[in-house]
């Protein structure tokens, strides 16, 4: 089918996707030759809050009964731009707008998006082509090493027991049970992580705090005593680096703990906290009113909000000798920012400047659950990915697309979800996207795949229910398919600790169970290692390669990752069905591919056999595809 315009086809828009400022982009539309034009067609482009620009389109060529009109756009400003096309025929004005995910339809639809980012925007290379591993520190590995200055009000549990989840008489869950996972435990498992192909560890918060999740920071400058010491962190980074593994920290800068040296609501510390006196050096960080009432994160009074743009607070975090610089100097490779959409632009600007001044190869990753290119938060259009703030984001859009597809959603919808992100994000951001299927904030993927929805279930239900053997096998089969997509789509796969060995868990705190050392699902572990080996062996392609969808059948999808210049390519085929499928390499969709070797999968002549819930990975060379 021929369309007026297709934003994903380089014959219509070149180059594909987001555009670096002051670089050119060529746009082409096609109109039937019989269209009677009163004036030359125009492209209309604008940024929110600014006037439209009207770019005349000139005849490019005549082809197969159509006239092609083209124009070139040179953006002068960073920001999300919107555009459409317009022409007048016999006195009637017509519009070509986005009618579906990418196609220009006549007199219907919405504006197309063009993200324009800073000329100097580049993202760190160390993460590209690698594999991330997320660790909830209290639950990964307990070294047994004794630790000093551990508060006496912590409840120590036996490894593998069910985490506490019941509220007290006031309805508050204190999260004060600990299993003793520590930094030394992580260091003792570096060989294991290296065997998984891990190149980057992302640690949930390690700073001193008084709940096991440690998102209620008590002291930004100290490792929590139950995890070890600042020196333990330095040694972890040092030993990890010897294995080619970097370590990223979780930065929680939108709020602190009420039980902290800064707020000191409960008098635990000798410092004069903001809750205790207006004379506290930290008082200006918080907003009080009435009788010691204060703003808190989502109304949770143990998490008082801070004013991130307060000069004293900004200096404390982002200053010359601030928190960020301190941890980077001990070996941190960067920060993942908790609730990035609640951090104001000015603070994010200052944070990035601080980190990049220390080392441009340090990374800044934001927690953003939506499309981060056009996100609006609290009435402000955010500018995360324009070059002045984030390098990357947690890729929730991919996660939701993967889960939905593996659970039966149409392949075309999956394609549209993936391609929309690839179109809207700068390529350098895409290459370091954090691709996951499970995290500490959501139920584990194996539960989502194998069991019933837990959205309407109580905590008691989640505590009492695990997957049945049949549910586990179904969840595991679908998780394997999801991991194929997680590992080979653009971006960086992020394994949530335990997913690789079949660890179950509904929502918090059940998704934060202890790692089952000695009880791993070895089949699942070996499958993960196999995906990792393929990714490592062809890291050049997976690090910065382009992507093209090839097959979108009912139960089989196929896509390629390829290097644009050399054409070196990996073709990935995935069968999500419970029955065997077959793909012919002579199919028309492969006409511009020359296959060389089957890296993984079953080959029968020119056919690839895909058993139930399986994949194949094939090496190839992609030829250029020119013209309409």
């Amino acid at each position: 089918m021929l369309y007026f315009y297709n934003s994903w086809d380089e014959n219509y828009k070149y180059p594909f996707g987001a555009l670096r400022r002051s670089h050119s982009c060529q746009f082409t539309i096609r109109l039937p030759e019989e269209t009677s034009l009163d004036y030359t067609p125009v492209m209309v482009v604008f940024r929110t809050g600014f006037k439209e620009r009207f770019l005349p389109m000139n005849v490019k060529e005549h082809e197969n009964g159509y006239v092609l009109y083209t124009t070139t756009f040179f953006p002068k400003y960073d920001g999300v731009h919107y555009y459409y096309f317009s022409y007048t025929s016999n006195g009637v004005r017509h519009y070509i707008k986005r009618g579906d995910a990418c196609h220009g339809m006549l007199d219907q639809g919405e504006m197309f998006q063009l993200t324009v980012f800073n000329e100097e925007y580049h993202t760190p290379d160390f993460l590209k082509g690698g594999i991330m591993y997320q660790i909830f520190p209290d639950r990964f590995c307990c070294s047994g090493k004794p630790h000093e200055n551990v508060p006496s009000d912590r409840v120590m549990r036996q490894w593998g027991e069910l985490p506490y989840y019941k509220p007290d008489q006031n309805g508050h869950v204190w999260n004060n049970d600990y299993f003793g996972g520590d930094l030394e435990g992580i260091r003792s498992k570096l060989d294991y992580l290296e065997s998984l192909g891990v190149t980057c560890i992302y640690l949930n918060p390690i700073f001193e705090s008084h709940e096991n999740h440690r998102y209620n920071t008590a002291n930004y400058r100290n490792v929590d005593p139950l995890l070890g010491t600042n020196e333990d962190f330095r040694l972890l980074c040092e030993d990890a680096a010897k294995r080619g593994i970097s370590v990223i920290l979780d930065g929680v800068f939108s709020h602190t703990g009420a039980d902290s040296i800064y707020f000191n609501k409960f008098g635990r510390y000798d410092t004069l906290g903001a809750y205790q006196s207006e004379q506290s050096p930290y008082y200006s960080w918080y907003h009080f009113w009435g009788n010691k009432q204060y703003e808190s994160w989502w109304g949770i009074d143990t998490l008082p909000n801070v004013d991130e743009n307060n000069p004293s607070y900004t200096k404390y975090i982002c200053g010359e000798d601030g928190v960020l610089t301190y941890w980077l100097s001990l070996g941190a490779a960067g920060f993942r920012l908790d609730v990035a959409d609640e951090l104001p632009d000015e603070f994010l600007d200052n944070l990035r400047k601080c980190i990049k001044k220390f080392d441009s190869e340090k990374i800044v990753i934001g927690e953003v659950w939506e499309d981060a290119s056009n996100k609006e938060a609290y009435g402000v259009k955010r500018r995360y990915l324009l070059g002045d703030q984030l390098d990357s984001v947690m890729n929730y859009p991919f996660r939701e697309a993967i889960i939905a597809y593996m659970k039966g959603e149409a392949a075309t919808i999956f394609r549209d979800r993936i391609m929309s992100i690839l179109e809207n994000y700068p390529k350098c951001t895409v290459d370091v996207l954090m691709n996951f299927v499970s995290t500490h904030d959501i139920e584990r993927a194996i539960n989502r795949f194998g069991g019933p929805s837990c959205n309407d279930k109580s905590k008691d239900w989640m505590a009492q229910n695990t997957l049945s053997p049949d549910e586990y096998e179904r969840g595991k089969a679908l998780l394997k398919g999801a991991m194929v997509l997680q590992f080979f789509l653009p971006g960086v796969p992020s394994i949530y600790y335990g997913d690789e060995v079949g660890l179950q868990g509904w929502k918090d705190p059940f998704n934060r169970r202890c790692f089952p050392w000695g009880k791993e699902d070895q089949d699942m572990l070996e499958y993960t290692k196999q995906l990792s080996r393929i990714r490592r062996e062809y890291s050049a392609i997976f690090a910065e390669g382009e992507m093209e969808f090839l097959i979108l059948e009912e139960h089989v999808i196929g896509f390629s990752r390829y290097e644009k210049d050399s054409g070196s390519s990996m073709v990935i085929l995935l069968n999500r069905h419970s029955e065997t499928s077959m793909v012919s390499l002579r199919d028309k969709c492969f006409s511009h591919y020359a296959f060389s070797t089957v890296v993984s999968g079953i080959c029968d002549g020119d056919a690839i056999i895909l058993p139930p819930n399986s994949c194949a990975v094939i090496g190839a060379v992609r030829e250029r595809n020119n013209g309409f």
Side-chain angles (χ1 to χ4, degrees):
M1 180 177 180
L2 293 175
Y3 295 93
F4 295 98
Y5 177 72
N6 182 344
S7 65
W8 297 348
D9 186 334
E10 290 190 338
N11 293 298
Y12 292 91
K13 176 181 176 288
Y14 183 82
F16 167 81
L19 187 64
R20 201 174 289 277
R21 187 185 65 208
S22 297
H23 286 220
S24 66
C25 189
Q26 186 176 67
F27 295 85
T28 301
I29 61 172
R30 58 166 64 236
L31 296 176
E33 283 185 335
E34 61 269 21
T35 304
S36 175
L37 296 179
D38 300 341
Y39 310 102
T40 300
V42 294
M43 175 182 171
V44 185
V45 59
F46 65 94
R47 292 180 295 147
T48 301
F50 296 87
K51 291 183 178 181
E52 299 94 336
R53 291 181 62 186
F54 297 86
L55 306 179
M57 306 189 76
N58 302 312
V59 175
K60 180 181 181 182
E61 60 182 303
H62 292 253
E63 186 179 83
N64 299 325
Y66 287 84
V67 182
L68 278 57
Y69 298 87
T70 188
T71 190
T72 301
F73 176 49
F74 293 89
K76 298 180 181 179
Y77 304 99
D78 304 343
V80 174
H81 292 60
Y82 297 95
Y83 67 95
Y84 62 94
F85 308 94
S86 177
Y87 68 91
T88 302
S89 176
N90 299 319
V92 179
R93 184 177 293 277
H94 296 280
Y95 303 94
I96 299 173
K97 295 184 176 181
R98 184 169 61 83
D100 56 18
C102 63
H103 294 112
M105 304 295 191
L106 192 60
D107 298 332
Q108 58 180 303
E110 303 174 348
M111 264 76 76
F112 291 92
Q113 176 179 321
L114 174 65
T115 304
V116 178
F117 57 97
N118 192 293
E119 287 178 286
E120 306 302 320
Y121 184 29
H122 297 279
T123 56
D125 290 328
F126 78 88
L127 199 56
K128 297 173 184 177
I131 296 171
M132 185 182 288
Y133 192 87
Q134 180 188 350
I135 293 176
F136 193 81
D138 186 57
R139 312 290 162 81
F140 180 63
C141 181
C142 175
S143 69
K145 175 183 177 180
H147 298 295
E148 298 179 352
N149 303 316
V150 177
S152 60
D153 55 352
R154 299 189 178 185
V155 180
M156 300 307 299
R157 308 288 306 286
Q158 290 296 312
W159 196 261
E161 289 183 333
L162 188 70
Y164 285 169
Y165 67 93
K166 289 185 178 294
D168 62 16
Q169 63 270 24
N170 297 316
H172 185 82
V173 178
W174 284 100
N175 299 301
N176 66 339
D177 60 325
Y178 294 80
F179 292 84
D182 56 5
L183 297 181
E184 186 63 23
I186 297 170
R187 194 157 74 103
S188 73
K189 296 297 183 181
L190 286 175
D191 287 345
Y192 168 77
L193 296 178
E194 186 178 19
S195 75
L196 274 180
V198 170
T199 60
C200 178
I201 298 170
Y202 154 47
L203 294 176
N204 286 116
I206 65 168
F207 303 150
E208 181 177 337
S209 306
H210 300 294
E211 294 191 49
N212 53 41
H213 52 72
R214 299 187 171 95
Y215 281 95
N216 56 336
T217 310
N219 189 336
Y220 284 111
R221 288 185 172 271
N222 286 343
V223 164
D224 187 88
L226 191 56
L227 289 176
T229 65
N230 296 14
E231 176 64 10
D232 288 335
F233 175 73
R234 189 192 67 78
L235 288 174
L236 171 63
C237 293
E238 185 178 274
D239 281 5
K242 294 173 183 176
R243 296 168 170 82
I245 300 174
S246 54
V247 181
I248 293 174
L249 291 176
D250 211 330
V252 187
F253 302 126
S254 71
H255 53 270
T256 67
D259 194 359
S260 66
I261 65 171
Y262 316 108
F263 205 74
N264 209 13
K265 181 176 182 178
F266 308 111
R268 182 189 296 267
Y269 294 95
D270 294 336
T271 56
L272 187 64
Y275 186 80
Q276 297 165 309
S277 171
E278 293 183 23
Q279 304 307 311
S280 168
Y282 312 112
Y283 186 82
S284 63
W285 294 10
Y286 304 93
H287 294 287
F288 291 91
W289 74 92
N291 185 23
K292 288 196 174 182
Q293 293 179 298
Y294 52 90
E295 288 186 9
S296 58
W297 188 76
W298 288 87
I300 302 171
D301 63 5
T302 57
L303 302 174
N305 275 340
V306 298
D307 176 3
E308 297 92 341
N309 289 333
N310 175 275
S312 171
Y313 181 77
T314 301
K315 182 180 179 181
Y316 186 84
I317 301 298
C318 308
E320 189 87 13
D321 299 310
V323 168
L324 299 173
T325 300
Y326 176 71
W327 293 103
L328 294 173
S329 71
L330 290 184
F335 288 84
R336 174 266 191 190
L337 304 180
D338 185 53
V339 292
D341 57 356
E342 298 185 24
L343 299 173
D345 280 331
E346 183 180 349
F347 181 78
L348 286 176
D349 293 344
N350 286 321
L351 182 144
R352 182 182 181 84
K353 288 175 185 175
C354 172
I355 291 176
K356 297 301 181 179
K357 180 180 179 181
F358 184 93
D359 186 343
S360 63
E361 274 294 294
K362 302 296 186 182
I363 199 162
V364 184
I365 303 174
E367 179 194 9
V368 181
W369 289 54
E370 304 84 8
D371 182 332
S373 71
N374 53 36
K375 164 91 176 184
E376 291 191 13
Y378 305 99
V380 176
K381 182 173 283 294
R382 305 310 301 263
R383 46 184 177 83
Y384 300 129
L385 306 181
L386 302 182
D388 299 318
Q389 294 185 350
L390 306 178
D391 292 310
S392 173
V393 289
M394 298 181 72
N395 200 355
Y396 276 95
F398 270 26
R399 188 260 181 179
E400 291 306 314
I402 290 170
I403 297 287
Y405 173 73
M406 292 305 301
K407 287 175 71 69
E409 193 168 73
T412 52
I413 297 177
F414 175 75
R415 173 204 60 196
D416 291 351
R417 289 186 177 194
I418 300 302
M419 291 298 297
S420 291
I421 294 298
L422 299 186
E423 178 178 30
N424 290 346
Y425 287 15
K427 177 64 166 56
C428 58
T429 295
V430 168
D431 294 335
V432 290
L433 282 175
M434 181 178 167
N435 292 345
F436 54 87
V437 292
S438 306
T439 75
H440 64 291
D441 281 326
I442 49 182
E443 67 271 35
R444 287 186 178 269
I446 196 168
N447 290 70
R448 181 99 178 253
F449 287 135
S453 170
C454 66
N455 290 336
D456 58 347
K457 302 297 193 299
S458 68
K459 295 284 188 180
D460 283 332
W461 183 92
M462 295 181 201
Q464 296 163 10
N465 283 271
T466 57
L467 299 177
S468 70
D470 286 345
E471 287 175 333
Y472 178 83
E473 289 304 318
R474 171 174 168 75
K476 175 179 166 180
L478 295 180
L479 175 58
K480 285 183 174 181
M483 291 182 74
V484 171
L485 300 174
Q486 177 190 10
F487 269 68
F488 299 137
L489 286 173
V492 179
S494 176
I495 305 168
Y496 184 43
Y497 80 101
D499 267 11
E500 78 276 17
V501 296
L503 183 58
Q504 299 183 38
W506 306 104
K507 292 184 177 179
D508 171 22
F510 311 107
N511 55 357
R512 304 172 183 179
R513 293 174 184 259
C514 297
F515 192 100
W517 297 109
K519 300 178 182 178
E520 302 92 333
D521 183 325
Q522 293 296 328
D523 173 68
M524 191 71 212
L525 180 59
E526 184 51 42
Y527 187 83
T528 306
K529 289 182 177 180
Q530 180 185 3
L531 297 180
S532 174
R533 283 192 292 269
I534 295 171
R535 184 173 172 85
R536 286 201 310 274
E537 187 173 351
Y538 299 93
S539 60
I541 292 173
F542 292 117
E544 298 181 272
E546 308 290 337
M547 177 176 174
E548 177 181 29
F549 278 100
L550 300 170
I551 297 176
L552 296 168
E553 296 178 354
E554 183 177 4
H555 295 299
V556 175
I557 61 170
F559 60 92
S560 76
R561 298 292 310 282
Y562 63 93
E563 294 181 289
K564 205 162 192 175
D565 293 334
S566 69
S568 295
S569 174
M570 303 303 295
V571 172
I572 294 93
L573 306 173
L574 175 64
N575 175 20
R576 69 177 178 185
H577 198 34
S578 57
E579 297 180 3
T580 297
S581 296
M582 186 274 290
V583 173
S584 171
L585 297 183
R586 292 184 178 273
D587 193 284
K588 183 180 178 181
C589 68
F590 300 124
S591 59
H592 54 293
Y593 283 86
F595 292 100
S596 56
T597 181
V598 177
V599 175
S600 175
I602 303 172
C603 181
D604 184 5
D606 289 324
I608 299 296
I609 309 301
L610 294 169
N613 303 111
S614 71
C615 75
V617 181
I618 310 153
V621 175
R622 181 183 185 273
E623 302 168 358
R624 290 185 178 274
N625 184 24
N626 298 316
F628 280 96

